[in-house]
Amino acid sequence: MIHRIEIAIRKGLPDPRGKHVAARVRDFLDIPITAVRTRDVYHLEADLSDDEVARVVGEFTDPVLNVGAAGRVDDGSFEIAITVAYKPGVADPVGKSARVAIQDTLGRTLGDEAAVYTSVMYLLDGVDRPEAERIAFELLANSVIQTARVVPFDEWKGSEPDLSIPKVAGGETPEVLNVDLMGTDDELLKISREGMLALSLQEMQTIRDHFIDVAEKEPRRRQAGLGSDPTDVELECLAQTWSEHCKHKIFNATIDYREQDGPVETLRSIFKTYIRGATEDVDSQVVEQGGRSWLVSVFHDNAGVVTFDDEIHLVYKVETHNSPSALDPYGGAITGIVGVNRDPFGTGRGADLLSNVWGYCFASPFYEGELPKGLLHPKRIRDGVHLGVIDGGNQSGIPYGRGWEIFDSRYLGKPLVFCGTVGSLPVTIDGSPGEEKYPRPGDAVVMVGGRIGADGIHGATFSSAALDESSPAQAVQIGDPITQKMMFDFLLEARRLGLYSAITDNGAGGLSSSVGEMAQTPGGARLDLEKAPLKYAGLAPWEIFLSEAQERMTLAVPPALVEDFLALAARREVEANVLGEFTDDGFLQVTFGEETVALLEMDFLHDGAPDLELRAHWVPPTFEEPADRPPDLNNTLLDLLARLNLCSNEKKARHYDHEVKSLSVIKPWVGVHADVPAEATVSLARHGSLRGFVLSEGINPYISDLDTWAMASTVLDEAVRRQLCAGARLDRIAALDNFCWPDPVRSETTPDGEYKLAQLVRACRGLHEVCVAYGVPLISGKDSMKNESTMGGVKISVPPTLLLSAIGQIDDVREALTLDPKQPGDVVYILGETGPHTGASEYFRYLGEREGRWPDLGQPAPYVGTHPPTVDTDKTVPLYSALHKAIRAGLLRSAATPNKGGLAVSLARCALAADLGLEIDLDGCPGVTDLDDDVALFSESNGRFVVTMASDRAEDFERQMEGTAWCRAGTVTQEPRLVIRRDGRPLVDADLDSLRTRFKEGLEHA
Amino acid sequence: MLEDAVQDLRGLPSGELARARSEVRVLVISGLGLNCEAETAEAFRMVGANAEMVHLLDLLDGESGHRLADYRIVTFVGGFAFGDHLGAGFVFANRIRWRLYDQLVELIERGGLALGICNGFQTMVRLGMVPGFDGDYRTPRATLAPNDRLGYWDSWVRLKADPDSPCVWTRGIDAIDLPTRHGEGKLLTESPEVLERLEKGHQVAVRYVDADGEPTQEWPANPNGSPGAVAGICDPTGRLFGLMPHPDAYLYPFHHPQWSRRRFQGDLPEEGAGLAIFRNGVDAAAAKG
């Protein structure tokens, strides 16, 4: 029986949701709609009496705010109704909560078959039918996950209330199939392609040969009723375990690298050589210098772990969720954030979650050019991604510590959605080190949290492929933060009680990945997929095994504790099921009831994939320099402040909670009006201690167009400078590397693969060099290698992008600094050398746009120029060390660091944050003598700072900085003006009001 | 008079005062999507009370040994109980109403105190704990509707407390800066008379004010468009108090967004201003004995 309930806003009361939609219809679709009202609709599939339905309606209706009715609310007319509902099988968290509320209201439990399906009605006035269709499909519904019904009033009035529900048809469990691999190479490739397996020919052949081999040698296979063809469960499991997403094949490949006409160098695993290599080099430096290693767990777990204090370690992980966000921005992004939460939570024996970070690379929300068919408009992507991460973070009760956006038209092809989470791991859990997992043979394999549906199947292989028209809707999941929060709360109790021996998350690859990985320690596992709880019937065993349905963790629970564990789960209304047990027989054995559906040797599963052999060739590119540079530098600065990459995104960012948990100290927005982004943020890690952690990042993909070596060194330098500005210790900065690359493997569709791979090699080398010089270990990271789309025959690749996320430490948060100068009369110093680094600068891109030059699809924006910023560690290392000592000595009152937009933009931000003026003279500024005025102002040289202090500290400071590059550049003034002079000439003379107006307007109407 | 009793208590030698405060048992309800339990419990501990976090389901099932009657103060913390699906605080309040409310009303009638912050305030309003006219704690007469500007918003605001309010939690507080972090904070009443009565009875304990200290309807000083700039209300006894802004987010001097400026200007306070609210509540509970 289906019951329909409608809840509307009372007449006369505002409907902010409707108002918001109306504004978006006008702004985004340019349709002059007059009004939108909204209603929530619940379809209850349950046996309820009329009286019970009436009670539910009464309970769902807020007496002050709402009118509600069974069937329809009858309150006047409208022109057209649009109803947006989910497609079958899409997660509906509101429906899930409504089900709970109904049970509470009725005082009885509903049967397993009862369900609530939610939808929203938009009642429109002032549009015609074609316009309503556009509103339905271009704004309200995403046809990947939702349906929209457009019904004119008369038709609506003349029909019975809609009682349809998006129920999954279900049905019998499909048979397990054996996959015949005995065919030709073409047939093997066809199996891989059509099955979305993303396996290469060589990998398919390796799998075929392996199964022929074990069918002969391994009697267990025959006993289990399996032959020389792999089952679909086995093949799918191997495909996902060997996917680029999980196996990092490119980073582990053997690469023949050559620069121009130089000799070939053979590099065996750029991951081991440069990434892990940097970490090992840094660690041994610490130990050689008589220090203690502060790396607790790096690279092998779900997140990196470093020493913090006697009670807790810091845990940090950043992930990307690019492809799903391109298809369903909201669902993809919320899954990204709640998904990365599970990484620290699944590290060691489980970390508490402290802080989220987010960062996005988009095309301009104002993009008006050609949009290849199949791609969503970047404005829609941006709005959806923000809302997804806002909901995911806020509802999970985790504040954000860092948030940023950058824009380039090449992110049309794929937006990059970075989400990360910092956690704190108890040094000791239940008597043993918190970072250790010890699943033993005989421990139960327990799955906790949400149920399994077809959602997210092939996510791992999907993210290892480029987007095209056939990209599957089922690869999209929608995260449900509340289910996850309840699971986390329960698991923290279980952790306190010592009820499990290991934990990991179910992310990419689902159970096949979590169980497969955890089974490596004991040496095997046996699990029965028939015991896994499903959202609906009809899933094939391989689908159950690979589903990426969200909010699930896999645990090892010792047999003696299983009963207590399950009982606590039941009390907390969290689903937990024993699916099997860990073994030590060297096999991953999967059954469906009695039938064995997979029997995989652990060694082959994890180490059987053939190594890739690739070639890389570096040829330095050349780009145009701008011929015409403007004389009016004052207006140029104002224009730069309004640019998407430099302006305020506060209008979006304040929708994210940044202070729940009450640990935030330097918040994301600082200054008198709290409207300027902090160089870095500082948070406590727990109440009752003054020790804090510091978050910052560096990202600058534009430099990749010139040289990824310079790009990688710049982003690390930027992240470290930001740390330093906040007062972080220099000896405790750790970093995460997230590489988002276009496909770097040469093929028919990627003829420039060797160049893109060379870009990857050079980025790793640059990163390694600066990490070792700065003593910054890389503790975790991720690579995403197919960031492009081919839609309508147009290929758009993202620029090679490296996000460097740094986490530092400060002994006493009360000594943390912000970027805003504090008092009139304070003196301003500029530290570090300014050079001719206009290549890939914001200033040059501005000049291109100013001339009306827009990039062709997939091309960098003109002008790229010639000289990218580089890092001279011989100069920066002593400078940073001296500056840090000055900060520790309490000499400084503020510290900022120039990045995109250069010195002028940095000074403008300082003045805006302080709401005070700055009088600056560039004459003595290190390095500027030979530079043109505009270059001096807007060059993006690394290694620079703008700091202020009380005048009576200047002498001490100058003594402290001896031997480094610095100049006393001016003073903080009461008059709200930014004045920058050279040779007595004002290059910039702007009042703060106009600077602030421009700074805030860039994304105001996005 | 409670106020005199509080003054007497605060006049006690510090050891006795600390003991009296430590005897105040505070229940901080957690679970089901709430998320400010740790800092709220910390706030009560920082002012010397004995705060315990208890999962709502443990209170409901009665097996865990936690009984409402054992506490002097019940706290409804901020968060997203059940994701605020179906309206802020709705599913959570629903569960309390059907399964715990008789005990809660009994506690109130015996002189217990309650504090609701943000999601907790929404829960109290849904249950009818506030306004609580004429001792009726069961009839909801108001709601916290979606903000005029749609969506969650995190920014600091300035509140002014009504000096004539019976609210025990805001005694001695003039103005206070606190963060607001919500999407549904606009207090709408069943009828204009209800708001009038709230104002007449000085039950509007805190209001959003502008830079000049005047109650305001202007965003962002008033983040949700709440009529009368209402930020929080109490019941007529002043013992039950709910507000949208977060006193639990201003525990340390360095929580304030401008603390770094104040540090160098030499006017950083010794403690976070939010603690005064918790201390007031604890002292009122301790003074009552």
Side-chain angles (χ1 to χ4, degrees), chain B residues 270-287:
Chain B
E270 278 188 19
E271 67 170 29
L275 287 181
I277 289 176
F278 297 95
R279 188 175 290 118
N280 279 333
V282 170
D283 286 358

Short mmCIF file of all heavy atoms in Angstrom, two decimals, chain B residues 270-287:
data_model
loop_
_atom_site.label_atom_id
_atom_site.label_comp_id
_atom_site.label_asym_id
_atom_site.label_seq_id
_atom_site.Cartn_x
_atom_site.Cartn_y
_atom_site.Cartn_z
N GLU B 270 40.51 37.22 29.64
CA GLU B 270 41.18 36.07 30.27
C GLU B 270 40.53 34.75 29.93
O GLU B 270 41.18 33.71 29.94
CB GLU B 270 41.20 36.25 31.79
CG GLU B 270 42.35 37.14 32.20
CD GLU B 270 42.55 37.22 33.68
OE1 GLU B 270 42.03 36.32 34.40
OE2 GLU B 270 43.19 38.17 34.11
N GLU B 271 39.24 34.79 29.69
CA GLU B 271 38.58 33.54 29.32
C GLU B 271 37.62 33.81 28.17
O GLU B 271 37.27 34.95 27.89
CB GLU B 271 37.83 32.93 30.50
CG GLU B 271 36.64 33.74 30.97
CD GLU B 271 35.77 32.98 31.98
OE1 GLU B 271 36.29 32.13 32.72
OE2 GLU B 271 34.55 33.24 32.00
N GLY B 272 37.18 32.75 27.52
CA GLY B 272 36.20 32.88 26.47
C GLY B 272 34.87 33.34 27.06
O GLY B 272 34.44 32.84 28.10
N ALA B 273 34.24 34.31 26.38
CA ALA B 273 33.03 34.92 26.94
C ALA B 273 31.87 33.93 27.07
O ALA B 273 30.97 34.11 27.89
CB ALA B 273 32.62 36.10 26.09
N GLY B 274 31.89 32.87 26.26
CA GLY B 274 30.79 31.90 26.32
C GLY B 274 30.68 31.21 27.67
O GLY B 274 29.59 30.77 28.08
N LEU B 275 31.79 31.13 28.38
CA LEU B 275 31.78 30.40 29.67
C LEU B 275 30.83 31.03 30.67
O LEU B 275 30.28 30.33 31.54
CB LEU B 275 33.20 30.36 30.26
CG LEU B 275 34.19 29.42 29.58
CD1 LEU B 275 35.53 29.46 30.29
CD2 LEU B 275 33.65 27.99 29.54
N ALA B 276 30.62 32.35 30.58
CA ALA B 276 29.74 33.03 31.55
C ALA B 276 28.35 32.40 31.55
O ALA B 276 27.72 32.24 32.61
CB ALA B 276 29.66 34.51 31.22
N ILE B 277 27.88 32.02 30.38
CA ILE B 277 26.54 31.43 30.28
C ILE B 277 26.49 30.09 31.03
O ILE B 277 25.57 29.83 31.82
CB ILE B 277 26.15 31.28 28.80
CG1 ILE B 277 25.88 32.67 28.22
CG2 ILE B 277 24.94 30.35 28.63
CD1 ILE B 277 25.56 32.70 26.73
N PHE B 278 27.51 29.28 30.81
CA PHE B 278 27.54 27.97 31.49
C PHE B 278 27.68 28.16 33.00
O PHE B 278 27.04 27.47 33.79
CB PHE B 278 28.68 27.12 30.94
CG PHE B 278 28.51 26.79 29.48
CD1 PHE B 278 29.11 27.56 28.49
CD2 PHE B 278 27.69 25.75 29.09
CE1 PHE B 278 28.93 27.28 27.15
CE2 PHE B 278 27.50 25.45 27.74
CZ PHE B 278 28.12 26.23 26.77
N ARG B 279 28.53 29.11 33.41
CA ARG B 279 28.75 29.34 34.84
C ARG B 279 27.46 29.80 35.51
O ARG B 279 27.12 29.34 36.60
CB ARG B 279 29.86 30.37 35.02
CG ARG B 279 30.30 30.52 36.48
CD ARG B 279 31.48 31.46 36.62
NE ARG B 279 32.70 30.90 36.08
CZ ARG B 279 33.41 31.41 35.07
NH1 ARG B 279 33.00 32.54 34.50
NH2 ARG B 279 34.50 30.83 34.65
N ASN B 280 26.74 30.68 34.83
CA ASN B 280 25.46 31.14 35.37
C ASN B 280 24.51 29.98 35.62
O ASN B 280 23.87 29.90 36.67
CB ASN B 280 24.78 32.11 34.38
CG ASN B 280 25.32 33.52 34.48
OD1 ASN B 280 25.81 33.94 35.53
ND2 ASN B 280 25.25 34.24 33.38
N GLY B 281 24.42 29.10 34.63
CA GLY B 281 23.50 27.98 34.76
C GLY B 281 23.90 27.06 35.90
O GLY B 281 23.07 26.61 36.70
N VAL B 282 25.19 26.78 35.96
CA VAL B 282 25.68 25.88 37.01
C VAL B 282 25.46 26.50 38.39
O VAL B 282 25.01 25.83 39.33
CB VAL B 282 27.19 25.56 36.78
CG1 VAL B 282 27.78 24.83 37.98
CG2 VAL B 282 27.35 24.73 35.52
N ASP B 283 25.74 27.80 38.51
CA ASP B 283 25.54 28.45 39.80
C ASP B 283 24.07 28.47 40.20
O ASP B 283 23.72 28.30 41.36
CB ASP B 283 26.13 29.86 39.78
CG ASP B 283 27.66 29.83 39.83
OD1 ASP B 283 28.22 28.71 39.91
OD2 ASP B 283 28.29 30.90 39.76
N ALA B 284 23.20 28.70 39.23
CA ALA B 284 21.77 28.70 39.54
C ALA B 284 21.36 27.31 40.02
O ALA B 284 20.57 27.17 40.97
CB ALA B 284 20.97 29.10 38.31
N ALA B 285 21.92 26.29 39.38
CA ALA B 285 21.58 24.92 39.80
C ALA B 285 22.17 24.63 41.18
O ALA B 285 21.52 24.01 42.03
CB ALA B 285 22.11 23.92 38.78
N ALA B 286 23.39 25.10 41.43
CA ALA B 286 24.04 24.85 42.71
C ALA B 286 23.33 25.62 43.82
O ALA B 286 23.12 25.10 44.92
CB ALA B 286 25.50 25.27 42.64
N ALA B 287 22.94 26.85 43.52
CA ALA B 287 22.28 27.68 44.53
C ALA B 287 20.94 27.07 44.93
O ALA B 287 20.53 27.13 46.08
CB ALA B 287 22.08 29.09 43.99
#
